[in-house]
Amino acid sequence: MTQPLERQAIISGAAQSEIGRRLYRSGLDLTIEATLRAVDDAGLTVADIDGVSTYPGSGGPFGGASGAELHDALRLSLNWRDGGLETSGQLGAVHKAVLAIAAGLARHVLVFRTVVEGSGGPVRASATGGGIPAPFRYLIPYGAASAANWIACYAQRHMHEYGTTREQLGAIAINARTHAASNPKAIYTDPMTMDDYLAARPVSEPFGLYDCDVPCDGSTAVVISHRDHAPDLPGPPVQINALGTAHRGRPSWDQFDDLTTMAMRDSADSLWERTDLTAADVDTAQLYDGFSWLTMAWIEALGFCGKGEGGAFVEGGGRIAHTGELPLNTWGGQLSGGRLHGFGFLHEAVMQLRGRADLQVEGAEVAAVGAGGGPECGALLLTRGLT
């Protein structure tokens, strides 16, 4: 293979619906809004869409809408459709759409993720309730009923092994809040100091309230097209340079072989295996922050610093600021922008590479996107223009 197949695909359109803490709108309503905006952004009509891909499909976490619902609501005529949880994290929906384009199964695939967690209420788990996956039946009796608990254990181990501090985690949260001030759709925009961060109520040691992303309602949609659609775009295309899809460890939250990292270790490795670009070429990184420590794990996995050096890398916030060497989560991330379940990072990366971001990184040409935690992670490397 002289060139990875993913380079046959571009992101031709990207858009979001209204985003808010509690909108009390249906997931399908929000999905249609984002979809129509993204299709228009791609210079297409709904009749041009011949593929749909979504994460997680029907019945997944945080509500939303399924691909079947969108298919029917817009009366789409599809050559290909996919949706499901067992994939390379949230970005798995994008990965599969890209491969469908490269295989000639579709020409323009609409990919979306919608959440209605803010107005839908909290997600609760029970040790005896029906439908609880088997691995969680083991964890819940020990009080580990949420990802906050599971990921906190990894953060504690990272602190034990490498001397990572709460203040270093706080630098990630404060950076997100600072960037969110420029995002008109962000949930939290008030300034936050380190004292504010440290004084917040505890959630699951070492995490406090501001280490946890904020539930919201909203939809993000992108259109993945074949690269030969690029001349018809009103602006520069965003090319898929490389996919990061690997899961080489155990598919487990609590039985992974290295408890100071997660599956992002593998998805990052497979990303760099498919490109001549390196971490030094990345102009902005949009990395999952469902919990602050996950971002640090992504920074290490992608090679922006050495293993165990993530705390020192983010300390003080200078390197990850908008004007720093690695502008990070420039839309505010999920910690302040809102839990759009991975797709907010993708949208921001596209906006940065098009020069249309609210907080623009000057001259951005390469963006790394990573989403997910535990055994469910995936990555993308995006570039401005075709190669």
Side-chain angles (χ1 to χ4, degrees):
M1 183 174 63
T2 58
Q3 190 178 73
L5 288 177
E6 53 261 46
R7 294 184 201 166
Q8 296 298 309
I10 61 170
I11 298 178
S12 59
Q16 294 180 315
S17 69
E18 177 187 14
I19 294 168
R21 189 72 165 93
R22 293 180 178 87
L23 298 179
Y24 299 106
R25 295 173 58 186
S26 73
L28 181 58
D29 184 29
L30 294 168
T31 303
I32 291 172
E33 181 180 335
T35 293
L36 295 180
R37 290 177 177 177
V39 170
D40 182 68
D41 187 56
L44 301 169
T45 68
V46 169
D48 295 312
I49 300 300
D50 60 352
V52 168
S53 182
T54 184
Y55 178 93
S58 59
F62 312 141
S66 70
E69 289 173 308
L70 184 67
H71 180 180
D72 194 44
L74 296 182
R75 299 297 192 268
L76 300 174
S77 177
L78 302 180
N79 293 324
W80 179 84
R81 194 183 82 197
D82 189 86
L85 275 166
E86 292 195 18
T87 184
S88 43
Q90 298 91 327
L91 295 178
V94 180
H95 295 158
K96 288 181 282 187
V98 167
L99 296 177
I101 293 290
L105 296 174
R107 178 170 171 77
H108 301 290
V109 179
L110 189 287
V111 187
F112 72 92
R113 174 60 170 126
T114 303
V115 294
V116 288
E117 186 183 12
S119 55
V123 178
R124 302 190 185 279
S126 166
T128 58
I132 302 297
F136 301 153
R137 294 175 200 160
Y138 165 78
L139 294 168
I140 289 170
Y142 290 91
S146 145
N149 310 128
W150 314 330
I151 297 168
C153 292
Y154 281 79
Q156 287 279 57
R157 184 58 178 260
H158 198 275
M159 289 176 160
H160 174 76
E161 295 287 345
Y162 303 117
T164 311
T165 67
R166 280 213 68 208
E167 286 80 4
Q168 291 168 343
L169 295 179
I172 293 171
I174 292 168
N175 179 72
R177 182 65 61 87
T178 300
H179 290 168
S182 298
N183 177 3
K185 292 184 176 181
I187 306 301
Y188 291 151
T189 58
D190 291 341
M192 180 168 65
T193 67
M194 185 63 75
D195 287 342
D196 295 330
Y197 165 81
L198 293 172
R201 67 175 174 85
V203 172
S204 187
E205 191 176 359
F207 296 150
L209 180 64
Y210 298 128
D211 291 295
C212 309
D213 57 6
V214 54
C216 69
D217 300 340
S219 180
T220 303
V222 299
V223 179
I224 309 295
S225 298
H226 193 277
R227 63 180 286 155
D228 64 14
H229 178 59
D232 299 323
L233 295 177
V238 172
Q239 186 173 40
I240 312 293
N241 180 271
L243 305 180
T245 62
H247 290 71
R248 292 163 178 164
R250 291 187 66 183
S252 169
W253 279 93
D254 62 315
Q255 300 295 319
F256 201 63
D257 57 273
D258 180 352
L259 298 180
T260 64
T261 188
M262 292 178 168
M264 67 274 292
R265 174 198 67 187
D266 303 333
S267 53
D269 283 351
S270 65
L271 182 84
W272 297 125
E273 290 164 5
R274 300 182 66 81
T275 181
D276 292 329
L277 297 174
T278 69
D281 295 308
V282 173
D283 298 306
T284 181
Q286 307 296 329
L287 305 178
Y288 199 71
D289 60 355
F291 300 91
S292 57
W293 179 80
L294 288 174
T295 311
M296 189 178 295
W298 272 109
I299 288 171
E300 293 183 5
L302 284 163
F304 296 119
C305 66
K307 181 69 183 295
E309 297 174 0
F313 185 87
V314 304
E315 189 168 6
R319 284 175 165 168
I320 57 175
H322 164 240
T323 55
E325 65 184 77
L326 186 69
L328 175 73
N329 295 349
T330 44
W331 60 290
Q334 298 188 160
L335 294 178
S336 287
R339 183 189 292 159
L340 297 172
H341 213 206
F343 272 54
F345 304 98
L346 175 59
H347 180 267
E348 176 69 7
V350 174
M351 295 300 107
Q352 287 288 350
L353 296 180
R354 288 178 163 185
R356 290 169 42 190
D358 293 310
L359 189 62
Q360 182 64 44
V361 175
E362 185 176 355
E365 295 186 354
V366 180
V369 185
E376 302 166 359
C377 294
L380 292 166
L381 193 66
L382 307 179
T383 57
R384 175 185 173 94
L386 299 180
T387 58

